Amino acid sequence: MSRDTVIIVAGGEGRRLGGPLPKQFLPLGEVPVLWHTLLAFHRYDPSLQIILVLHPDWTGHWQKVSRALQPPIDYQITTGGETRFHSVANGLALAEDGGLTAVHDASRPLVSRELLERTFTAAREKGNAVPATAVHDSLREVTDDGNRPVDRSRYRSIQTPQIFPTRLLKEAFRQPYDPAFTDEATVVERLGEKIHLVEGEKRNIKITATFDLKVAEMILHSDPE
Amino acid sequence: MSRDTVIIVAGGEGRRLGGPLPKQFLPLGEVPVLWHTLLAFHRYDPSLQIILVLHPDWTGHWQKVSRALQPPIDYQITTGGETRFHSVANGLALAEDGGLTAVHDASRPLVSRELLERTFTAAREKGNAVPATAVHDSLREVTDDGNRPVDRSRYRSIQTPQIFPTRLLKEAFRQPYDPAFTDEATVVERLGEKIHLVEGEKRNIKITATFDLKVAEMILHSDPE
């Protein structure tokens, strides 16, 4: 049986002169955010093919800081492209055929084993799977002349990993780039596929600001898994 | 000059046999969530008229536990109705005319002085003000036969306090109840008013689950204001 693949995407952010270190390289607990992300997948399934997509500006940095990290994890590194679409396409070029491919944000280090189990299982059974959570705050849509209320119960917040058969994902990523391709679901959908949502989880936060890093520290402290 | 009013809404949740204590009565740091909420407005403007709307099942509980809390805060209590609309209407019955009325969720205890300043100032200048934040996760809309991607950059997460001239808010709440009235903005909008959004903030979280209470503890610890 073919093994499954995960593409961990950290390809977007280049090195800006004097700019802050992208959040995925900052420490969370004792190791960088990105190491937690790699570990979550490695621990879930040690046979998983792990492909890390890094912006070329950060490859050297990561190779240096990750050298001493434990336990050893077997993964491949490739470089990111102009957009997330191009970064995932670069990762897919290395993906082994025949299994499922999960695409996951490097900045979501706290994804639980349960969510991985649920999403991989659903993808196997339903053809694909994308984790989603209810929207808790009221929502408004910005319009040309102001804004209007929308019914939040009709909306879902989308997380990763987004999981698809590898062959299908490769076919989808052969389509020409479209700015409407904001995640993998939107790319696969363009082929006429329906997206299957599974229940996401609060701990699977995306770390984009210092605030989120503090929330992540809290989660790690109170529920380390 | 007339003073402004805040209506703090905790009217929705009745006492369920064996059910958990509603989150606004749970301790956050050393005092209940709701005490933080009252304090935030009291400290912002000690002359503010503060009206607390409580579900009748919890009035006795709150009066007992709040008796010893410091510093003393002058506020009125009224009882909640069937929905948030009815609870706010009950609060409005006590509001003094002539100033602004803010409506705020009891379960948002960590609203900052800066956000209160910004929202009251904008309401005074623009006619009303509602805090809103960008949506950071991808969004999907659930449809009759599945779900579809929507452009998250067109959406805003809505917070409280929502602030309006007291006379306008009273007029709006004389309209017959409609289930589409999910917050105060939707009620005022029905009169033909445009809603003015101001920048919200991450720390102004709504505590609806144990997870949120832990996030709130983290915020309180790292940035107590």
Side-chain angles (χ1 to χ4, degrees), chain B residues 87-100:
Chain B
S87 293
V88 172
N90 288 359
L92 270 174
L94 302 178
E96 296 171 14
D97 285 329
L100 297 171

Side-chain angles (χ1 to χ4, degrees), chain A residues 2 4 8 10 48 63 80 110 124-125 141 143-144 173 179 206:
Chain A
S2 308
D4 296 331
I8 295 174
L48 210 58
Q63 281 173 330
L110 296 178
R124 229 175 292 281
E125 289 171 358
E141 186 179 0
T143 58
D144 292 340
F173 275 79
K206 187 172 183 175

